[in-house]
């Protein structure tokens, strides 16, 4: 079986080969090699007609294991196939080495893109959410929680830009919790923080070990434990708030997830008081920023982030703070995408729906855990 290293691939003429990413659609969307096409491993044999015989074929997965099996399959169909040694992770490491050589210039360009090209889509909406939902007050000390993905890294850069304006005094801590990352994912987070001039504070836990044997909802438990550790560390460092990188699309998807899979109307709130850590608050300053704009910023700056740093999956699509199953969230994403073809305003309407709840037309609702029904005041003529 033929294999090729990242450095060897860089020497090839791109016109001579076809690059195939074998990871799932969501992992591919978080980042991939330039010019790669996405054919998930499970669909490979069904998509043989899309693969040319007149070019070398280079297949890759996240770390190089699945691509070996894919190469063996394709060899049976007489393709001139190579698998990329080390996979996407090896390519990421090579890109990090190149970034180190021009770190200062790269960071300046990244910051400039936030101030200029993406100011309206990113910084303006960031500032609007902070003002509209009263997320930040003078004297606050905020722990900006960084998971290593595109959202939390952008969150850190937006806070740095806000701090540069210095309209009132507040402090920041850029907090990274290592719940047991593998070496590559840890390195990617550290290198991106260095490249983007984010002075991170890293602390370690053993959460991944703790949930490894859990069969029922391990991702939900993992997310709850991570949230608790973040609150605890932030409070230890003198912070009164933690900031998370959830965005506009997360909010919309949560609304539909609750309705279609949970039988309830609810939303992801822009801020919450902690019930377990007195005096602590959670804020979501990217509440109004659309994910497509985050992706455009990422791609414009040729940045590469991890999708999920779960040690066991590397490209886990199930780790969500609300405990929802990743495949269900992908169903919702696809559903919204299809609805937008009919109505381009569908996302905005879903978002506004939880701002325009008419209690006179609601059969029942809950307040502080207590259910209230429409007939409670119906006979008094209040309905």
């Amino acid at each position: 079986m033929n294999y090729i290293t990242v450095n060897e691939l860089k020497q090839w003429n791109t016109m001579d080969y076809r690059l195939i990413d074998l990871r799932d659609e969501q992992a591919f969307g978080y980042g991939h090699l330039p010019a790669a096409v996405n054919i998930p491993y499970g669909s490979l044999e069904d998509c043989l007609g899309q693969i040319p015989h007149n070019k070398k074929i280079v297949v890759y997965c996240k770390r190089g294991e699945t691509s070996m099996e894919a190469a063996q399959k394709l060899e049976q169909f007489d393709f001139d196939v190579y698998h990329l040694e080390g996979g996407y992770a090896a390519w990421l490491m090579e890109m990090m080495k190149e970034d180190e050589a021009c770190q200062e210039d790269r960071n300046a360009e990244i910051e400039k893109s936030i101030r200029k090209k993406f100011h309206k889509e990113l910084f303006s909406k960031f500032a609007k959410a902070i003002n509209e939902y009263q997320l930040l007050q003078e004297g606050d000390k905020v722990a900006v929680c960084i998971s290593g993905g595109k959202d939390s890294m952008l969150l850190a850069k937006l806070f740095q830009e806000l701090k540069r304006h210095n309209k009132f005094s507040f402090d920041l801590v850029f907090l990274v919790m290592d719940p047991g990352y593998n070496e590559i994912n840890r390195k990617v987070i550290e290198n991106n923080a260095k490249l983007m001039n984010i002075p991170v504070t890293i602390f370690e836990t053993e959460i991944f070990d703790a949930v490894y044997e859990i069969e029922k909802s391990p991702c939900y438990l993992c997310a709850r434990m991570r949230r608790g550790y973040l609150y605890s560390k932030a409070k230890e460092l003198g912070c009164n708030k933690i900031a998370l990188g959830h965005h506009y699309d997360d909010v919309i998807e949560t609304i539909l997830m609750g309705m279609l899979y949970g039988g309830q109307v609810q939303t992801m709130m822009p801020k919450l008081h902690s019930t377990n850590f007195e005096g602590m608050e959670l804020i979501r300053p990217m509440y109004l920023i659309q994910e497509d704009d985050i992706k455009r910023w990422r791609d414009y700056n040729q940045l590469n982030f991890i999708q999920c740093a779960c040690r066991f999956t590397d490209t886990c699509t199930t780790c969500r703070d609300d405990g929802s199953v990743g495949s269900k969230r992908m169903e919702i994403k696809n559903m919204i995408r299809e609805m937008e073809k009919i109505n381009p305003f569908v996302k905005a309407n879903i978002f506004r729906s939880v701002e325009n709840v008419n209690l006179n037309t609601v059969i029942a609702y809950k307040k502080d855990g207590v259910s209230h029904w429409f007939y409670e005041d119906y006979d008094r003529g209040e309905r």
Side-chain angles (χ1 to χ4, degrees):
M1 182 194 309
N2 297 321
Y3 72 89
I4 186 170
T5 67
V6 173
N7 284 326
E8 289 171 340
L9 183 63
K10 288 163 64 177
Q11 306 304 316
W12 282 12
N13 187 326
T14 56
M15 299 297 293
D16 294 336
Y17 67 91
R18 175 66 58 84
L19 192 58
I20 297 177
D21 188 316
L22 300 166
R23 300 172 301 156
D24 62 54
E25 179 184 354
Q26 190 171 10
F28 183 81
Y30 270 78
H32 53 81
L33 274 67
V37 296
N38 185 212
I39 303 179
Y41 177 71
S43 305
L44 191 60
E45 292 191 32
D46 295 330
C47 299
L48 293 176
Q50 302 175 26
I51 304 174
H53 272 93
N54 62 343
K55 291 187 177 184
K56 296 182 177 68
I57 305 301
V58 180
V59 293
Y60 72 90
C61 57
K62 57 189 176 183
R63 303 185 73 174
E65 295 92 345
T66 303
S67 60
M68 293 178 64
E69 297 178 13
Q72 290 174 339
K73 281 187 178 182
L74 292 177
E75 281 181 343
Q76 297 173 10
F77 294 95
D78 296 323
F79 287 100
D80 183 11
V81 61
Y82 298 74
H83 82 90
L84 184 63
E85 189 176 45
Y88 182 66
W91 181 79
L92 271 182
M93 291 298 100
E94 188 60 32
M95 294 304 100
M96 294 295 177
K97 290 178 185 177
E98 294 182 7
D99 284 338
E100 287 179 6
C102 53
Q103 178 182 331
E104 188 172 333
D105 292 340
R106 290 275 280 122
N107 180 59
E109 288 299 316
I110 291 167
E111 293 183 347
K112 181 181 177 181
S113 72
I114 292 174
R115 295 176 191 141
K116 301 292 184 179
K117 185 174 180 62
F118 296 96
H119 186 274
K120 180 180 178 181
E121 296 88 348
L122 300 180
F123 186 75
S124 291
K125 291 183 178 180
F126 175 78
K128 181 180 179 180
I130 285 177
N131 292 327
E132 191 165 307
Y133 301 118
Q134 302 177 18
L135 303 183
L136 197 63
Q137 283 79 38
E138 186 166 0
D140 280 344
K141 186 173 182 179
V142 183
V144 182
C145 301
I146 298 174
S147 66
K150 66 185 191 314
D151 306 326
S152 61
M153 285 292 189
L154 174 59
L155 176 66
K157 294 307 295 180
L158 290 170
F159 262 116
Q160 285 183 327
E161 180 65 13
L162 186 67
K163 185 73 172 173
R164 192 177 70 87
H165 289 266
N166 202 31
K167 291 189 175 180
F168 58 83
S169 176
F170 65 94
D171 292 319
L172 299 171
V173 174
F174 299 100
L175 196 58
V176 176
M177 181 190 63
D178 183 346
Y181 296 155
N182 64 46
E183 183 180 355
I184 293 176
N185 279 331
R186 171 76 176 249
K187 186 69 173 174
V188 171
I189 294 172
E190 292 173 340
N191 285 0
N192 273 329
K194 186 178 179 181
L195 170 67
M196 300 171 69
N197 194 27
I198 302 171
V200 294
T201 298
I202 301 177
F203 70 103
E204 298 179 354
T205 69
E206 297 181 351
I207 292 177
F208 286 167
D209 285 338
V211 302
Y212 184 69
E213 300 294 338
I214 303 297
E215 294 184 6
K216 186 177 181 180
S217 302
C219 294
Y220 175 72
L221 178 60
C222 178
R224 289 290 299 270
M225 291 177 69
R226 283 188 289 174
R227 183 75 59 82
Y229 274 105
L230 286 169
Y231 269 126
S232 180
K233 187 64 176 182
K235 191 166 187 177
E236 176 188 320
L237 295 173
C239 299
N240 64 311
K241 293 179 179 178
I242 67 170
L244 301 183
H246 296 116
H247 48 66
Y248 186 83
D249 294 76
D250 288 324
V251 177
I252 293 166
E253 290 159 17
T254 298
I255 294 170
L256 288 186
M257 288 284 290
M259 293 176 65
L260 301 181
Y261 296 113
Q264 56 188 329
V265 177
Q266 62 177 9
T267 190
M268 179 182 284
M269 298 297 288
K271 62 180 180 180
L272 291 168
H273 287 294
S274 172
T275 56
N276 298 317
F277 295 86
E278 186 177 355
M280 294 293 293
E281 192 174 2
L282 180 155
I283 60 174
R284 294 183 170 107
M286 293 173 62
Y287 203 78
L288 302 176
I289 297 177
Q290 298 207 33
E291 186 175 25
D292 282 345
D293 291 325
I294 300 173
K295 289 179 179 179
R296 280 190 280 269
W297 168 81
R298 176 200 64 191
D299 295 342
Y300 175 81
N301 289 289
Q302 297 182 334
L303 295 167
N304 301 285
F305 302 111
I306 58 175
Q307 176 186 355
C308 170
C310 177
R311 184 176 76 205
F312 310 112
T313 64
D314 291 324
T315 56
C316 173
T317 58
T318 58
C319 293
R320 289 284 177 174
D321 290 326
D322 57 8
S324 58
V325 178
S327 59
K328 292 291 189 291
R329 189 169 288 270
M330 281 304 298
E331 288 177 15
I332 294 296
K333 280 182 180 290
N334 293 333
M335 184 185 301
I336 293 172
R337 194 179 299 138
E338 290 301 312
M339 288 192 292
E340 282 185 301
K341 294 177 182 178
I342 302 171
N343 176 9
F345 305 106
V346 68
K347 288 203 295 189
N349 288 337
I350 294 170
F351 186 88
R352 284 196 293 266
S353 70
V354 291
E355 296 179 336
N356 296 306
V357 177
N358 185 348
L359 292 182
N360 290 323
T361 62
V362 171
I363 294 175
Y365 66 93
K366 286 185 179 179
K367 176 68 174 177
D368 298 326
V370 179
S371 295
H372 299 274
W373 291 78
F374 78 99
Y375 51 69
E376 292 176 4
D377 52 23
Y378 180 80
D379 290 333
R380 294 198 296 271
E382 297 178 16
R383 290 256 178 171

